């Protein structure tokens, strides 16, 4: 293609959803792109084709409801920002109820065609085995969870030994407002006040002996997910699945992550709990809490059923369920600046799942942001970050600093990959949620729905303002 741009090209490594979206955003800003994709020269254990943006797992982009679902909100924001991934998904949609599912071949073919036909994008089929050479100046690494070992080693050499995780050991995360505090209470073990703590840094869920035994039986009997051959065996010290610990002996959990020592039930101080499940604040906003020591290979349906057996979590809503799987990602809050640039290497950005996000649209959205940021830098324009109140901004905030460091577990990373969810958004202003006229009882689920609708409406309006678009049009979505 003819390149009439006066700008030097930006290099994008990786032709998945994030890399394709990054390249599209850069090119549409008038800056040439060289997109490097190793498939066609070297395959992976998961991909089946050489097409760009190939979907290797599900064909679903999940909910498309932009009024009360965080995934739907990020869909809408990406469409507003001219996303190639969303345009291709919309064009090749297949019936899936309220979800956006796609014909995977048609979708990948559409992305590939659009990229190859763009006059400012050049696709080069080659493996980049190390960090981009410094003469490339501006580059985006978007190589996904199956980053080639040679490139992963180069990233690790640049950023330090503890900068990459090669397997996720993920514990479930619960929305704080779905926890029953008439049963649970705040307290740190032995009332210990750690750095930045108060002595009441955990939410505690008490169990009787009968409840504990029933819970252990359910864990052992629960359906688990098997590993794919290419994932290997990722069990390692400190990250055993909760059900594997339960299988090692009935008292194992009670002397491990569920030990009751050093805790006194604020609602019933004279009765000692037989076991205690602790939840620790997971984000700076205080809207999400993770279940300490509860990484698991249980299937999602089994997780929800079994974990709701825990007193105080009977009505728990999960922002993320647990898992243990292969996923190369960097410790982004430590390594990246707010514009996704590597702090130790100006001009080099990361995008997609390697930054610590989960999901197709989340990966693509981070590619969208990295592309816009890199293009602005190349053009000498200010890098404009999306507002924290938007889905794009809240996910960016999680990746670049929204987590909390665990002082009581030195050497263990607290940053974990995350899907977009309402727990990442800043809270509404006090008084925003008003009981509808004529409604006598307004709490629980109805109140939660209104809260999410208001967060979604605010997000779309703020995103439109950030993009310089019609706010009223966004509010009508």
């Amino acid at each position: 293609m003819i390149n009439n741009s006066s700008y030097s090209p930006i290099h994008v490594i990786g032709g998945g959803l994030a890399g394709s979206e990054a390249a599209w955003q850069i090119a549409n800003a008038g800056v040439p792109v060289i997109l490097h994709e190793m498939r066609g020269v070297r395959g992976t254990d998961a991909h089946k084709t050489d097409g760009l943006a190939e979907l290797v797992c599900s064909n679903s982009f999940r909910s498309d409801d932009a009024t009360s679902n965080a995934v739907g909100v990020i869909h809408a924001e990406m469409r507003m920002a001219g996303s190639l991934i969303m345009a291709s998904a919309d064009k090749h949609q297949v019936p899936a109820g309220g979800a956006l599912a796609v014909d995977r071949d048609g979708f990948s073919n559409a992305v590939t065609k659009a990229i190859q036909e763009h006059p400012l994008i050049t696709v080069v089929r080659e493996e980049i085995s190390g960090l981009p050479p410094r003469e490339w100046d501006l580059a985006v690494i978007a190589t996904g969870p199956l980053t080639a070992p040679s490139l992963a080693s180069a990233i690790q050499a640049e950023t330090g030994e503890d900068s990459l995780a090669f397997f996720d050991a993920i514990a479930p995360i619960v929305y704080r407002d779905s926890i029953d505090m008439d049963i649970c209470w705040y307290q740190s073990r032995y009332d210990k006040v750690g750095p930045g703590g108060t002595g009441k840094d955990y939410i505690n869920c008490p169990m009787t002996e009968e409840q504990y035994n029933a819970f252990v039986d359910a864990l052992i009997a629960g359906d688990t997910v098997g590993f794919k051959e290419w994932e290997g065996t990722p069990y390692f010290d400190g990250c055993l699945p909760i059900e594997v610990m339960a299988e090692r002996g009935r008292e194992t959990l009670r002397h491990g992550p569920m030990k009751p020592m050093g805790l006194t039930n604020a609602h019933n101080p004279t009765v000692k709990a037989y076991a205690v499940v602790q939840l620790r604040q997971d984000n700076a906003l205080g809207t999400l809490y993770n279940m300490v020591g509860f990484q698991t290979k249980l299937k999602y349906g089994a997780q929800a059923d079994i974990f709701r057996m825990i007193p105080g979590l009977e009505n728990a809503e999960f922002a993320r369920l647990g898992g243990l799987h292969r996923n190369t990602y960097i410790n982004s809050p430590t390594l990246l600046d707010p514009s996704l640039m590597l702090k130790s290497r100006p001009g080099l950005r990361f995008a997609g799942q390697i930054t610590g996000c989960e999901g197709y649209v989340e990966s693509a959205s981070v590619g969208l942001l990295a592309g816009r940021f890199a293009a602005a830098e190349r053009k000498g324009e200010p890098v404009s970050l999306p507002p924290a109140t938007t889905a794009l901004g809240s996910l960016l905030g999680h990746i670049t600093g929204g987590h909390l460091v665990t002082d009581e577990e030195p050497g263990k990373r607290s940053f974990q990959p995350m899907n977009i969810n309402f727990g990442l958004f800043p809270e509404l202003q006090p008084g925003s949620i008003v009981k509808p006229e004529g409604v006598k009882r307004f709490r629980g689920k109805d109140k939660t729905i209104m809260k999410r609708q208001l967060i979604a409406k605010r997000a779309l309006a703020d995103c439109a303002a950030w993009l310089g678009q019609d706010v009223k049009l966004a509010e009508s979505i």
Side-chain angles (χ1 to χ4, degrees):
M1 294 292 179
I2 298 174
N3 176 8
N4 293 320
S5 175
S6 60
Y7 299 108
S8 298
I10 295 174
H11 294 259
V12 176
I13 303 172
L17 279 80
S20 297
E21 186 64 63
W24 185 257
Q25 293 289 327
I26 294 167
N28 278 356
V31 177
V33 182
I34 299 176
L35 177 60
H36 305 263
E37 170 53 51
M38 74 176 184
R39 285 178 295 122
V41 175
R42 182 180 182 275
T44 76
D45 294 317
H47 292 87
K48 305 299 182 186
T49 77
D50 295 338
L52 301 178
E54 179 187 340
L55 306 181
V56 299
C57 296
S58 168
N59 70 327
S60 175
F61 282 26
R62 311 191 326 274
S63 175
D64 203 37
D65 175 12
T67 65
S68 58
N69 187 290
V71 180
V73 174
I74 207 166
H75 285 182
E77 292 183 5
M78 291 173 68
R79 289 184 180 109
M80 292 162 64
S83 165
L84 171 63
I85 294 302
M86 290 309 302
S88 300
D90 290 337
K91 186 176 180 180
H92 293 277
Q93 184 174 5
V94 296
L100 174 60
V102 304
D103 176 302
R104 65 177 71 236
D105 291 333
F107 167 79
S108 176
N109 291 340
V111 174
T112 303
K113 185 174 186 291
I115 291 289
Q116 290 179 336
E117 292 182 353
H118 198 294
L120 291 181
I121 302 177
T122 301
V123 180
V124 179
R125 298 284 181 167
E126 63 178 352
E127 179 181 355
I128 303 299
S129 58
L131 289 182
R134 292 188 181 274
E135 56 264 29
W136 282 8
D137 185 22
L138 296 185
V140 177
I141 293 178
T143 46
L146 297 179
T147 294
S150 56
L151 179 54
S153 296
I155 295 169
Q156 204 163 27
E158 169 72 22
T159 57
E161 289 187 7
D162 296 329
S163 63
L164 265 72
F166 295 98
F167 289 98
D168 288 342
I170 298 174
I173 290 182
V174 180
Y175 288 109
R176 163 62 185 84
D177 57 11
S178 71
I179 301 171
D180 188 348
M181 296 308 296
D182 289 334
I183 295 174
C184 306
W185 75 96
Y186 285 102
Q187 185 187 9
S188 299
R189 202 176 299 280
Y190 300 108
D191 300 309
K192 182 179 178 180
V193 180
T198 64
K200 297 182 178 181
D201 302 321
Y202 292 81
I203 293 177
N204 299 277
C205 309
M207 281 188 174
T208 64
E209 182 175 3
E210 181 181 3
Q211 289 169 332
Y212 174 79
N213 284 326
F215 181 69
V216 170
D217 289 340
L219 283 176
I220 294 172
D223 287 339
T224 57
V225 178
F227 289 118
K228 298 177 181 178
E229 290 182 7
W230 51 268
E231 287 184 307
T233 304
Y235 295 160
F236 51 95
D237 290 345
C239 289
L240 282 175
I242 190 81
E243 64 275 6
V244 172
M245 285 190 277
E247 290 170 352
R248 294 188 172 184
R250 184 158 292 273
E251 294 292 291
T252 301
L253 293 177
R254 205 170 75 85
H255 292 280
M258 295 176 64
K259 60 180 178 287
M261 285 76 80
L263 297 168
T264 301
N265 189 338
H267 303 295
N268 197 355
T270 61
V271 177
K272 187 71 174 178
Y274 189 75
V276 173
V277 174
Q278 289 197 306
L279 294 95
R280 178 175 55 222
Q281 186 174 334
D282 194 78
N283 67 340
L285 297 174
T287 54
L288 301 174
Y289 275 71
N290 71 70
M291 300 175 68
V292 178
F294 269 62
Q295 55 272 0
T296 178
K297 284 292 288 184
L298 288 168
K299 292 183 178 179
Y300 284 173
Q303 285 187 49
D305 292 341
I306 294 171
F307 295 150
R308 287 185 180 125
M309 295 173 64
I310 298 170
L313 301 187
E314 292 90 347
N315 298 307
E317 293 187 36
F318 296 93
R320 182 189 70 191
L321 288 165
L324 195 66
H325 60 277
R326 171 77 161 84
N327 187 6
T328 303
Y329 67 100
I330 63 174
N331 193 3
S332 293
T334 300
L335 300 176
L336 303 183
D337 75 4
S339 74
L340 300 167
M341 186 185 295
L342 193 62
K343 294 175 183 177
S344 66
R345 175 83 179 269
L348 179 59
R349 286 182 168 82
F350 284 78
Q353 284 187 261
I354 198 170
T355 65
C357 62
E358 286 276 11
Y360 290 148
V361 293
E362 290 88 343
S363 178
S365 72
V366 179
L368 182 152
L369 292 173
R372 294 177 73 93
F373 298 158
E377 183 176 359
R378 172 63 81 220
K379 296 167 73 174
E381 299 172 353
V383 174
S384 174
L385 304 181
T389 50
T390 64
L392 291 169
S394 65
L395 186 60
L396 180 65
H398 165 71
I399 290 169
T400 60
H403 77 305
L404 296 175
V405 175
T406 55
D407 296 303
E408 73 281 4
E409 295 181 294
K412 290 189 178 181
R413 61 192 301 120
S414 59
F415 175 64
Q416 292 281 5
M418 181 76 76
N419 292 109
I420 186 67
N421 65 80
F422 281 120
L424 301 182
F425 290 72
E427 290 282 9
L428 296 166
Q429 291 294 323
S432 298
I433 303 175
V434 179
K435 183 174 71 172
E437 189 175 344
V439 175
K440 292 183 179 180
R441 298 183 62 186
F442 183 61
R443 59 185 181 185
K445 190 173 183 179
D446 292 334
K447 191 173 183 179
T448 298
I449 290 173
M450 177 177 281
K451 176 182 177 181
R452 293 178 178 178
Q453 289 173 338
L454 291 173
I455 291 175
K457 185 176 181 180
R458 178 187 66 182
L460 295 178
D462 289 353
C463 185
W466 173 61
L467 293 169
Q469 298 179 4
D470 188 346
V471 174
K472 291 184 178 180
L473 181 61
E475 290 177 341
S476 68
I477 294 176

